[in-house]
């Protein structure tokens, strides 16, 4: 994904979910809300972050659960967007077709950023 883990980030977890057709790359960490939003903007999202209700649908599937995290699709108030690096000519991520981005509140101004890319 070519994401720089921000200074001060905690609880950094990542994995590759190997699938028959394409792999899904998972990355999650806790940071402050402003940093999470800046990372999201750097990914050139398709639409602004919006509040999502819990859903069973997610590119990450059960991947974050295997990392010991509550999956973003199970959170009560999570903001979500997606990005298509090839659609906006983001050459840094030319090998990535899409990124699903979730931001969930942790405490105070700390949030967990969930990234799933394929």
């Amino acid at each position: 994904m070519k994401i720089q883990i921000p200074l001060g980030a905690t609880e950094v977890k990542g994995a590759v979910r190997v699938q028959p057709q394409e792999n899904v790359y998972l990355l999650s960490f806790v940071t402050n809300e402003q940093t999470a939003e800046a990372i999201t903007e750097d990914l050139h999202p398709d639409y602004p972050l919006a509040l999502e209700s819990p859903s069973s649908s997610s590119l990450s599937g059960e991947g974050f659960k295997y990392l010991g995290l509550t999956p973003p699709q199970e959170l009560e108030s999570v903001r979500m967007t997606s990005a298509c690096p090839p659609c906006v000519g983001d050459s840094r991520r030319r090998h990535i077709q899409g990124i699903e981005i979730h931001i969930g509140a942790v405490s105070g101004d700390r949030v967990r950023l969930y990234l799933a890319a394929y």
Side-chain angles (χ1 to χ4, degrees):
M1 284 186 257
K2 306 244 180 179
I3 303 288
Q4 182 71 36
I5 304 296
L7 191 61
T10 59
E11 300 178 41
V12 179
K13 298 189 179 210
V16 177
R17 183 176 176 204
V18 178
Q19 301 185 132
Q21 291 188 4
E22 58 196 7
N23 295 334
V24 176
Y25 302 89
L26 305 170
L27 177 64
S28 182
F29 52 86
V30 174
T31 187
N32 65 56
E33 191 166 2
Q34 183 179 10
T35 301
E37 290 174 355
I39 290 169
T40 300
E41 284 305 308
D42 184 56
L43 293 171
H44 306 287
D46 301 329
Y47 50 90
L49 282 164
L51 203 56
E52 288 274 312
S53 56
S55 134
S56 61
S57 167
S58 176
L59 173 65
S60 63
E62 296 291 310
F64 287 112
K65 193 175 276 189
Y66 290 112
L67 292 175
L69 302 172
T70 301
Q73 63 269 26
E74 292 180 13
L75 298 174
E76 283 301 318
S77 59
V78 63
R79 293 181 296 154
M80 191 262 184
T81 189
S82 61
C84 172
C87 300
V88 295
D90 186 349
S91 62
R92 297 170 297 170
R93 299 175 182 92
R94 64 181 166 270
H95 64 287
I96 299 289
Q97 295 302 307
I99 303 172
E100 193 175 86
I101 306 155
H102 293 88
I103 298 178
V106 174
S107 66
D109 77 331
R110 303 291 284 175
V111 296
R112 175 169 290 285
L113 180 63
Y114 296 86
L115 301 166
Y118 65 95

